[in-house]
């Protein structure tokens, strides 16, 4: 598949920052869409709109720390997120080392952050798809806590596709407010500092 390339004022993007989620109104403000929420917060902080349909997703470009970055929200469903990520990386020839993914994590309390340089999918279908299609797991990711299931027998799909209670939503928004700082440190090559600040 060929994509039409249009020049941007600052040249081609050097970094790809992705938020994972499911498209459609029925999934807005669900736990599984925490990644979308973080990238929306980042876009707002950078004065960037994610409205261009490209790479099976919504994209926007922005300047960050002297670099050009592409923000991406895949419009595939979660388990096919890797298609969108792979297409964007290949098109702009962005190395995997310059990929940062924001993703929900049910093992963390709401609003907690955990930044990793690499790692397994941990059962997350979006990460699983990216790892499978890239053939590697050594890309940075920011895990956004959305809380554990209330009891072990609770249906996982029902939990991650459920909406946040107000107090949890406020905690997640607070976590998302750090997206710009984390992304700036990432493009500056200082992910270790981001981990020191936010891996509480």
């Amino acid at each position: 598949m060929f994509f039409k390339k249009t020049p941007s004022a600052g040249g081609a993007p050097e970094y790809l920052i992705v938020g994972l989620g499911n498209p459609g109104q029925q999934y807005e403000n669900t736990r599984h869409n925490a990644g979308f929420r973080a990238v929306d917060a980042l876009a707002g902080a950078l004065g960037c709109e994610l409205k261009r349909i490209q790479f099976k997703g919504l994209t926007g470009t922005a300047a960050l720390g002297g670099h050009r970055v592409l923000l991406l929200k895949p419009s595939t469903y979660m388990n096919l997120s890797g298609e969108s990520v792979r297409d964007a990386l290949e098109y702009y020839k962005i190395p995997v080392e310059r990929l940062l993914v924001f993703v929900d994590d049910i093992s963390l309390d709401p609003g907690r952050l955990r930044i990793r340089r690499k790692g397994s999918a941990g059962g997350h279908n979006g990460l699983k798809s990216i790892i499978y299609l890239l053939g590697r797991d050594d890309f940075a990711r920011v895990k956004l806590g959305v809380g554990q299931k209330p009891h072990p027998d609770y249906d996982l799909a029902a939990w991650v596709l459920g909406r946040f209670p107000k107090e949890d939503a406020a905690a997640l928004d607070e976590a998302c407010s750090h997206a710009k700082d984390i992304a700036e440190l990432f493009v500056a090559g200082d992910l270790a500092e981001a981990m020191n600040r936010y891996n509480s």
Side-chain angles (χ1 to χ4, degrees):
M1 185 174 180
F2 295 95
F3 300 101
K4 186 179 177 184
K5 190 170 184 177
T6 56
S8 61
E14 305 164 75
Y15 289 83
L16 176 62
I17 300 178
V18 180
L20 297 185
N22 282 308
Q25 282 188 330
Q26 70 270 40
Y27 297 111
E28 282 181 14
N29 300 317
T30 59
R31 293 179 178 87
H32 227 15
N33 276 29
F36 276 7
R37 205 160 174 150
V39 167
D40 282 339
L42 175 58
L46 297 177
C48 163
E49 286 187 280
L50 277 69
K51 60 182 183 181
R52 187 174 181 202
I53 300 170
Q54 193 181 25
F55 313 123
K56 300 175 186 170
L58 291 174
T59 69
T61 53
L64 181 65
H67 296 279
R68 199 80 179 151
V69 298
L70 180 72
L71 306 185
L72 169 66
K73 289 165 59 177
S75 298
T76 60
Y77 284 99
M78 184 69 86
N79 62 342
L80 299 174
S81 301
E83 295 178 4
S84 181
V85 174
R86 176 199 58 196
D87 290 352
L89 288 174
E90 287 182 353
Y91 183 73
Y92 286 116
K93 297 180 172 57
I94 297 171
V96 173
E97 295 76 21
R98 293 185 172 191
L99 166 65
L100 178 66
V101 178
F102 285 88
V103 58
D104 61 287
D105 192 311
I106 61 166
S107 70
L108 298 173
D109 290 337
R112 289 286 295 276
L113 290 166
R114 187 169 292 156
I115 302 166
R116 291 283 181 262
R117 293 183 184 279
K118 60 181 182 178
S120 69
H124 192 284
N125 287 334
L127 289 177
K128 207 177 289 184
S129 174
I130 295 171
I131 290 168
Y132 175 72
L133 288 173
L134 297 186
R136 51 197 293 187
D137 66 2
D138 55 338
F139 56 87
R141 72 284 306 263
V142 181
K143 298 181 175 187
L144 302 145
V146 297
Q148 298 185 34
K149 297 188 296 180
H151 55 80
D153 296 334
Y154 199 98
D155 182 68
L156 179 60
W159 180 248
V160 296
L161 296 179
R163 287 181 165 76
F164 290 98
K166 277 186 182 175
E167 61 274 17
D168 289 356
L172 180 63
D173 285 340
E174 171 66 22
C176 290
S177 73
H178 301 302
K180 180 173 181 281
D181 189 42
I182 293 169
E184 279 180 335
L185 289 165
F186 174 68
V187 302
D190 204 358
L191 197 65
E193 176 57 26
M195 292 165 79
N196 286 337
R197 288 185 197 178
Y198 299 108
N199 286 359
S200 51

